[in-house]
Amino acid sequence: MSDATTKPMDDIMSLCKRRGFVYQASEIYGGINGFWDYGPLGAQLKKNLRDAWWEDMIMNPCWGRTGPGGERVRCVPVETCIIQNPKVWEASGHVGGFNDPMVDDKETKQRFRADHLQGGYLGSSPAGDPALALAQMQGQITKVEHIPAFTITAGGPDEAAAILLADRKLQKLLGVSDANILPSISPGAAPLLQLTYRGQPAFAFIFPVSGAVQEHAHAQIPSPFTGKAGSLTAPRQFNLMFFTYTGATATENDKVYLRPETAQGIFVQFKNVVDTTRVRVPFGIGNTGRSFRNEVTPRNFTFRSREFEQAELEFFCHPDDSFEWYKFWRDFRMEWWQSIGLAGENLILREHEKDELSHYSTGTSDVEYRFPFTAPGFGELEGIAHRGNYDLTQHAKHSGAKLEYFDTDRGETLPNGAKKGERYMPHCIEPAAGLDRGALALICEAYTRDESRPSPEIMKFHPRVAPIKAAVFPLVNKDGMPEVADRLHADLFKRFGRTGFVETDAKQSIGKRYARMDEAGCPFCFTIDGDTLTDQTVTVRSRDTGLQDRIAIDKVSAFLTDALLA
Ligand code: ATP
């Protein structure tokens, strides 16, 4: 697969619209910021992703592997409500603390997350040595009196550099021209640009503008939208929870929230699951569904939306075993994303630094994908967090319910050979994935251009997630070919139709029909032609190679089974 940095996001988005993967929500009314709908192919792609998660996390967790204790991993599902008793969100900390610091530009009325403000800091070196210029800058960058020459809003410095380089209009607005990116001085160092700023040659380093600088010197910071200082407010906390009212009176007492994550539904049903099923710690509870966050700046297509879908698991275990389980889940989740097609160097597992961890977490890792809009940096697909016993303890405290677990397999051994038992609050490992970001990563990874083909855009989806599994075409719509095609189509549909479309299409030239299937990501097309009627063979054409072969019509089903499993 080609490098994400070479994939143009605009082309990917236009293919998504053209072929019915993703549409703007309420498009005929001008859309609504932060909301996206899936068309037929996108809906099936996302269903395949959700099903793959469900199969590999709930039905046959971790592909039947054993965990650190040598036992098979066991998990069960729940499906919990979007609206819960508001006390759930007080206990979880979301009502009090689920805030993003936000900045307004008073002139353009635009709003963005303060931690997304990236500064272009200028540096110079008499000898023209960028490393010296950077060293000179580094000591000054976080001082409150050190104001960037220009700013850009982006998820990180790499993304900001990419935006600046690609957008001539923005360059003009910010007073920048002749900008080039220089090779990185050291891994993880700030992106380094050589440019002309307001007519003067300079080096520019892109660093996040620190909270302290924004707090104290916001009036001097140039706006990312106008390039001029004086219009930005200091950061203010903004709660990301959507709310509404239950019942007709709509008083403050009727206020309820739309869930910002599916995980809390699991914690509040933990006791019911333990009491009504035969699960024993260690075990996991999975939950999938829509979550809502009133994101300050929805951006980057479906990556940061206000309504999105999550697939979360809480794995409950004994405190002594929890770190081993954390490592187990972290590694499995990385392997899982690789198994559905994100196998190249666009995927990384990033362990958080100590200072990034929540106060209750002893370890967190993110599975990150290099999206075209984050490249050369990465964006989070899933977080795997060791959450200790924080959530159960909070809910026990706020609800008064006893959420401790009595483990009959632990404690000292009694004279009769049984265990005395041990009461404890289980610790929790949380792999929390986003299905929309997952689907977007699959789309970006699949997008391939092959200029040697008549129609160069090909979606090379992994067969497991491909929304169309196969297509059957009569070469011409006569001479008995449509009837044979219909029979093969019905047969393939019976076998493969549960996991994707099986298409048939008799219109247009065969080349155009292949091209349509390439853009939709269908791995194989089968064509019925004149020879089929005499020798019972069909042409099989592969999406990835464009090559054609002939196989017996009664072997098509077995061929496809092997090919889709491969
Ligand atoms: P970010 O730092 O990007 O805001 P997060 O760390 O707050 O994400 P989590 O609370 O860990 O995200 O949620 C788990 C997963 O849910 C994320 O890894 C992501 O895939 C998905 N997710 C979170 N927020 C959004 C969003 N606004 N749009 C789409 N997916 C999201």
Side-chain angles (χ1 to χ4, degrees), residues 38 50 163 228 379 395 510:
Y38 289 87
R50 186 189 306 113
I163 291 173
K228 288 180 288 186
H395 286 301
I510 194 72

Side-chain angles (χ1 to χ4, degrees), residues 113 293 295 302-305 308 310 380-383 432-434 437:
R113 263 170 62 171
R293 295 183 189 177
E295 294 282 357
T302 57
F303 181 84
R304 187 171 299 287
S305 319
F308 54 95
Q310 293 183 304
E380 175 185 328
L381 285 187
E382 167 161 354
R437 286 192 191 171

Side-chain angles (χ1 to χ4, degrees), residues 34 94 98 100 113 115-116 240 260-261 291-293 295 298-299 302-312 337 352 366-367 379-384 430-438:
H94 285 93
F98 194 48
D100 270 345
R113 263 170 62 171
D115 58 331
H116 283 176
L240 298 187
E261 61 174 40
S291 293
F292 301 81
R293 295 183 189 177
E295 294 282 357
R299 59 198 299 139
T302 57
F303 181 84
R304 187 171 299 287
S305 319
R306 290 180 165 142
E307 175 174 348
F308 54 95
E309 191 173 346
Q310 293 183 304
E312 299 192 286
W337 285 106
H352 283 209
D366 288 343
V367 178
E380 175 185 328
L381 285 187
E382 167 161 354
I384 301 102
E430 177 190 83
L435 295 182
D436 303 273
R437 286 192 191 171

